[in-house]
């Protein structure tokens, strides 16, 4: 199945990993923007973004929905 995945936290990354392992075609990923984390409050990506980058998937990080980038991804991906 061709799909666009939307999620941010670790439990969503587990779902994304399962979809990829099952052979689904993930045409893109929508996740929240990078946020400051940890003691040093360094900007860091979400677990879903990290996984998507490992697999070379296109990532969109809108501040809110609806968003033009998300709509473009959906139009191009044809999930």
């Amino acid at each position: 199945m061709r799909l666009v995945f939307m999620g941010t936290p670790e439990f969503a990354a587990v779902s994304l990993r399962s979809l990829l392992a099952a052979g689904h075609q993930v045409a893109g990923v929508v996740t929240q923007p990078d946020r400051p984390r940890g003691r040093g409050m360094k900007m860091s990506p979400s677990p879903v973004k990290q996984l998507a980058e490992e697999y070379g998937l296109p990532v969109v990080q809108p501040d809110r929905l609806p968003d033009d980038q998300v709509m473009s991804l959906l139009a191009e991906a044809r999930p």
Side-chain angles (χ1 to χ4, degrees):
M1 177 183 339
R2 185 173 174 82
L3 55 96
V4 171
F5 186 84
M6 295 184 178
T8 299
E10 185 61 41
F11 72 85
V14 172
S15 298
L16 176 57
R17 188 179 305 279
S18 295
L19 289 168
L20 292 165
H24 293 286
Q25 184 182 6
V26 179
V29 173
V30 180
T31 188
Q32 291 182 5
D34 296 351
R35 303 255 193 255
R37 291 182 176 88
R39 290 185 77 126
M41 297 302 286
K42 293 181 182 174
M43 294 297 281
S44 62
S46 71
V48 167
K49 181 180 178 185
Q50 290 175 350
L51 182 61
E53 288 178 340
E54 286 177 30
Y55 282 87
L57 302 173
V59 177
V60 176
Q61 296 180 278
D63 288 322
R64 64 186 141 193
L65 294 175
D67 178 81
D68 290 340
Q69 286 183 315
V70 174
M71 299 310 287
S72 293
L73 174 64
L74 293 172
E76 291 172 20
R78 303 173 120 198

